[in-house]
Amino acid sequence: MQIWPGRSYPLGASYDGSGVNFALFSEVAERVELCLIGDDGAETRIDLPETDGFVHHVYLPGVQPGQRYGYRVHGPFDPANGHRCNPAKLLLDPYAKAVEGQIDGDESLFSYRFGKPDAFNDDDSAGHTMLSVVVNPFFDWGNDRSPDHEYHDSVVYEAHVKGLTQTHPGIPEEIRGTYAGIAHPAMIEHLKSLGVTAIELMPVHQFVQDPHLLEKGLANYWGYNTIGFFAPHNAYSAAGQRGQQVQEFKGMVKALHEADIEVILDVVYNHTAEGNHQGPTLCFRGIDNSAYYRLVDEDKAHYFDTTGTGNSLLMRHPHVLQLIMDSLRYWVLEMHVDGFRFDLASSLARQFHEVDRLSAFFDLVQQDPVVSQVKLIAEPWDVGDGGYQVGNFPPLWTEWNGRYRDTVRDFWRGEPSTLGEMASRITGSSDLYEHSGRKPIASVNFITAHDGFTLRDLVSYNEKHNEANGEGGADGESHNRSWNCGVEGDTDDPEVTALRARQQRNFLTTLLLSQGIPMIAHGDELGRGQQGNNNVYCQDNELAWVDWDLDKTQEELLAFARRVVALRRDHPVFRRRRFLGGTGPGEEGGLGDVAWFNPSGEAMTDTDWNEGHARSMMVFLNGDAIWEPDTRGERVVDDSFLVAFNASHEPMDFMIPGDVYGEGWLVQLDTSDDQIGIVSVFDDATTLLPGVEFPVTGRSIVVLRRPRVANNGG
């Protein structure tokens, strides 16, 4: 085999049509061996002959895509000083574009003996670990382009590749649970009919299956256990050939783009699957432990953990920052994804100890001409001190708004003194974002997500029921702000089931008619339940998968969800790009863009807002006072809306406000309806006039619309 010096950049294995350049960073390595793995498992070991800037590299003519490989790094094993090199461990390439296999939990994966933590383990891990695979980067993208939806026009759908598709009857069985399953016309049709503009996929970076879960008959279902930041997870691929998961993933993105749907990835750059000092040596730990991981300053044998997973990446090391930025650019430029949701993003801001919004990571993102132009969504918290940072990320970022989730849940379960904060949340949370020059699109509004109750369980359980996880109920959030509507769990009581259905409609309506970016958790539009389990991270089975066998109630909920998404899409008054001001140069009598009323149709007073037992209010959204140019510079106008919220258990009469707010109000939506398209307490042709009362059922929303044709008389 010919061995050429090669180049130190790019890192990883790069195929150019004639051969492969291999490059690996390690500042601590004394010697690096590249191990080519044959079909029979035999290794061909090649010393990397050149080192530039701590990058060890070689070029091998004739090596082709599909070649499996790994590294053995010779260097100090000195945990007390932060070094854990062990050439007996076959290591993944941190820049591997594809990975084959999974670990099996064998003792050889660890640098200590089971039961003897001080005994050095030099057993060879080959045959028990994962292998890197050289990939062919060439793909026919055709005329692919990003849909590039504006933030304010977006409806995000959080989904799990396997969980969304595993039981769908319209998808061929052999591709269920895969990238090809997501790309299937049956799945794309569902997403299109629902009206979502972006699918946010839970982790698809190559992750590790935890042996301790497998021993209990469980699995790492969610995938927040990354080991390969460039490689699509191999278990989600229907293709059987090595490295073909890359082609399949690209095909999925291309199909979604053709359907005008963006692809956002949930990415985990805050830690890796190697865990703490008792974890396996799979990749980074054996390459350069002290460069990749945050160690305890006074005790470098242990890891500084702000993620609750055993380790945290060292965000002030230039090669860690390079790894993350190279990964992000790769997924945008080579895989054509449209954005990222950053798991435990506060950890990325911990350049030293505190969360610093001006850390090097944010500086790099801000100046990067590629990454800065895609959608960037932060989960703005971690488990470290000062980790809850909702509202504090830089202006380029949007955030999962945990305050929105908590407030809306409290409002609809009848908690006292929630009116004021509810008003702030449904109008874009200006109290959190406006001070830093941000806009309503800074807020990703959600009520449920993968972590926690589903929407159906949120209205069906007061307590979590996580016994199936095998942790004695100790796992998962205990304070869920849920309400079971009077009965814990499944019931045949028609009053309870009707109330639960109405509450789900209330949540969906609130979410989709709020200013900001709505995010729907997969299956919530179908009434998906998890039997009260609010932490299905280890349940790769029917409990966590979306069940597509729908009953009549679920079909009605889906129809309702489609209807409300369409209402948002058709009316820019619900998806404004600027915060509502309360005052402004409206066309009709100087009206502002928003006004708040009590059920009597009178303007809300301080007393009304602060009344602890009050659970009802009405908001006027003035379609004539949007005053925002569209992308062509033309002024946007819309119909006006009155939205009446009644979170009380008692029905209540609301009154249409005075003449100044216009006449000819039509009922657009009533969440007390059980039959979609039929308003139970109104005739479709009824127009409501100022001073007229209209009934709002207990725990429901009524949306009234005043068409613009009625505003200007023609």
Side-chain angles (χ1 to χ4, degrees):
M1 179 179 293
Q2 295 184 57
I3 299 175
W4 296 359
R7 299 169 61 89
S8 61
Y9 187 86
L11 291 165
S14 304
Y15 174 67
D16 61 7
S18 299
V20 179
N21 190 84
F22 295 89
L24 178 77
F25 160 76
S26 177
E27 186 172 352
V28 73
E30 298 163 359
R31 175 183 165 215
V32 174
E33 291 180 297
L34 169 66
C35 305
L36 302 182
I37 313 299
D39 291 341
D40 59 357
E43 288 184 34
T44 300
R45 300 187 184 184
I46 301 165
D47 279 326
L48 271 60
E50 300 289 337
T51 304
D52 294 303
F54 304 114
V55 176
H56 307 257
H57 53 90
V58 69
Y59 182 90
L60 301 180
V63 172
Q64 296 294 307
Q67 174 65 58
R68 301 179 300 170
Y69 70 100
Y71 289 104
R72 296 184 185 274
V73 176
H74 299 257
F77 185 84
D78 183 8
N81 288 301
H83 305 309
R84 294 180 179 270
C85 295
N86 185 345
K89 312 308 172 189
L90 184 62
L91 304 175
L92 283 173
D93 180 356
Y95 279 71
K97 304 303 190 300
V99 172
E100 181 179 274
Q102 264 290 345
I103 65 171
D104 61 6
D106 188 78
E107 187 177 54
S108 64
L109 296 167
F110 301 80
S111 285
Y112 63 90
R113 302 281 179 190
F114 290 168
K116 300 178 181 179
D118 296 326
F120 181 71
N121 183 354
D122 59 359
D123 291 347
D124 197 324
S125 65
H128 301 283
T129 192
M130 310 158 84
L131 300 176
S132 306
V133 181
V134 177
V135 304
N136 187 341
F138 305 109
F139 180 80
D140 182 7
W141 283 104
N143 296 319
D144 181 71
R145 63 166 185 83
S146 170
D148 196 24
H149 294 294
E150 295 280 351
Y151 270 121
H152 68 284
D153 291 332
S154 297
V155 177
V156 179
Y157 188 79
E158 188 197 31
H160 187 282
V161 171
K162 184 173 184 180
L164 180 62
T165 63
Q166 186 64 26
T167 71
H168 197 295
I171 298 175
E173 189 172 351
E174 62 272 16
I175 65 170
R176 293 178 188 172
T178 69
Y179 307 121
I182 294 283
H184 190 273
M187 184 51 58
I188 290 179
E189 171 57 28
H190 175 73
L191 299 174
K192 289 290 291 181
S193 68
L194 182 58
V196 301
T197 65
I199 185 170
E200 181 181 300
L201 295 176
M202 291 174 64
V204 297
H205 287 174
Q206 184 68 46
F207 61 85
V208 170
Q209 284 294 346
D210 309 70
H212 76 276
L213 290 176
L214 297 177
E215 289 173 1
K216 295 192 294 184
L218 302 172
N220 190 319
Y221 170 65
W222 282 350
Y224 291 92
N225 204 25
T226 303
I227 198 64
F229 295 110
F230 295 78
H233 186 60
N234 52 29
Y236 295 157
S237 174
Q241 296 177 316
R242 292 174 190 159
Q244 287 304 301
Q245 59 262 45
V246 177
Q247 304 293 313
E248 187 177 331
F249 184 92
K250 290 178 177 179
M252 174 195 72
V253 173
K254 184 178 179 181
L256 288 165
H257 282 181
E258 288 174 350
D260 204 33
I261 297 172
E262 294 178 308
V263 180
I264 298 172
L265 301 187
D266 190 340
V267 290
V268 188
Y269 291 114
N270 51 73
H271 73 280
T272 80
E274 290 184 301
N276 62 18
H277 61 286
Q278 295 180 318
T281 299
L282 308 175
C283 181
F284 309 93
R285 173 175 285 137
I287 294 171
D288 197 331
N289 185 64
S290 62
Y292 280 111
Y293 292 118
R294 292 197 66 174
L295 306 177
V296 177
D297 290 336
E298 303 79 18
D299 181 11
K300 295 185 183 300
H302 293 87
Y303 295 83
F304 187 86
D305 178 18
T306 61
T307 65
T309 61
N311 65 55
S312 302
L313 284 172
L314 183 59
M315 295 305 299
R316 63 176 178 263
H317 195 284
H319 279 278
V320 173
L321 292 169
Q322 180 186 6
L323 172 80
I324 295 174
M325 296 306 298
D326 284 348
S327 170
L328 292 170
R329 280 191 295 269
Y330 174 79
W331 287 97
V332 175
L333 295 176
E334 295 296 327
M335 309 294 266
H336 286 206
V337 305
D338 306 284
F340 305 95
R341 179 265 188 189
F342 293 80
D343 178 66
L344 300 181
S346 290
S347 285
L348 303 176
R350 291 182 185 273
Q351 187 170 354
F352 297 100
H353 174 75
E354 69 285 352
V355 177
D356 179 8
R357 60 175 287 177
L358 301 178
S359 72
F361 173 69
F362 292 123
D363 291 343
L364 288 173
V365 170
Q366 181 72 40
Q367 61 79 45
D368 191 279
V370 174
V371 180
S372 65
Q373 298 307 302
V374 300
K375 290 182 169 62
L376 301 172
I377 304 171
E379 182 186 32
W381 49 77
D382 65 13
V383 300
D385 292 340
Y388 192 78
Q389 292 291 318
V390 173
N392 292 330
F393 273 68
L396 189 65
W397 292 68
T398 62
E399 303 175 15
W400 272 25
N401 190 344
R403 292 274 298 275
Y404 179 95
R405 171 199 59 203
D406 296 345
T407 299
V408 174
R409 288 186 179 195
D410 280 348
F411 178 78
W412 284 113
R413 71 189 178 114
E415 287 295 291
S417 304
T418 56
L419 288 186
E421 187 159 6
M422 179 71 169
S424 294
R425 300 299 152 246
I426 65 177
T427 53
S429 296
S430 60
D431 57 324
L432 300 178
Y433 303 113
E434 193 171 24
H435 70 279
S436 57
R438 301 164 79 185
K439 297 179 180 179
I441 58 173
S443 178
V444 175
N445 300 326
F446 69 106
I447 295 165
T448 61
H450 67 272
D451 189 1
F453 282 144
T454 67
L455 188 61
R456 178 176 175 175
D457 286 358
L458 186 68
V459 301
S460 303
Y461 295 90
N462 285 351
E463 308 295 336
K464 63 184 179 182
H465 296 268
N466 297 0
E467 294 78 12
N469 296 353
E471 299 181 40
D475 65 298
E477 176 61 54
S478 296
H479 184 45
N480 293 284
R481 292 181 159 91
S482 61
W483 178 50
N484 64 16
C485 297
V487 178
E488 188 75 354
D490 292 340
T491 179
D492 294 327
D493 186 317
E495 291 187 6
V496 173
T497 56
L499 177 56
R500 288 176 177 176
R502 187 159 73 249
Q503 286 286 72
Q504 290 176 78
R505 294 193 293 270
N506 289 335
F507 279 122
L508 286 171
T509 302
T510 303
L511 174 67
L512 289 160
L513 301 189
S514 293
Q515 307 296 329
I517 306 167
M519 185 185 79
I520 302 169
H522 76 187
D524 275 355
E525 77 279 16
L526 309 173
R528 182 179 76 90
Q530 294 175 168
Q531 298 176 22
N533 191 319
N534 72 350
N535 190 32
V536 295
Y537 79 101
C538 59
Q539 300 292 334
D540 188 3
N541 51 50
E542 290 85 353
L543 181 66
W545 302 337
V546 175
D547 183 358
W548 292 92
D549 184 14
L550 308 183
D551 61 24
K552 182 175 182 292
T553 300
Q554 291 174 299
E555 290 176 347
E556 290 175 350
L557 182 62
L558 174 58
F560 182 86
R562 289 169 173 161
R563 184 181 175 195
V564 185
V565 174
L567 182 62
R568 177 186 183 86
R569 180 196 62 223
D570 294 342
H571 293 285
V573 75
F574 295 117
R575 45 183 174 84
R576 292 188 47 158
R577 294 185 295 136
R578 296 181 176 89
F579 285 112
L580 296 160
T583 59
E587 286 184 351
E588 296 283 325
L591 293 180
D593 50 16
V594 64
W596 299 91
F597 303 96
N598 61 27
S600 299
E602 300 169 342
M604 292 280 283
T605 65
D606 289 344
T607 300
D608 292 325
W609 286 119
N610 297 316
E611 187 66 61
H613 68 270
R615 292 172 175 80
S616 303
M617 62 181 176
M618 183 164 49
V619 59
F620 166 73
L621 299 172
N622 189 357
D624 283 319
I626 297 179
W627 287 89
E628 294 180 348
D630 63 15
T631 55
R632 296 170 296 181
E634 298 177 359
R635 181 185 162 211
V636 176
V637 292
D638 193 12
D639 299 341
S640 295
F641 286 83
L642 277 171
V643 185
F645 296 88
N646 183 13
S648 169
H649 68 282
E650 295 288 348
M652 185 173 296
D653 288 334
F654 281 66
M655 182 174 289
I656 301 293
D659 292 348
V660 68
Y661 294 99
E663 300 181 352
W665 293 96
L666 302 171
V667 177
Q668 184 75 35
L669 195 73
D670 180 0
T671 63
S672 69
D673 297 345
D674 289 326
Q675 302 297 320
I676 303 306
I678 301 174
V679 180
S680 57
V681 294
F682 302 103
D683 183 276
D684 285 347
T686 298
T687 59
L688 303 178
L689 302 176
V692 171
E693 290 186 336
F694 62 96
V696 180
T697 303
R699 296 195 175 95
S700 66
I701 302 171
V702 170
V703 180
L704 305 179
R705 178 174 63 89
R706 189 191 65 183
R708 288 205 78 245
V709 67
N711 297 352
N712 54 31

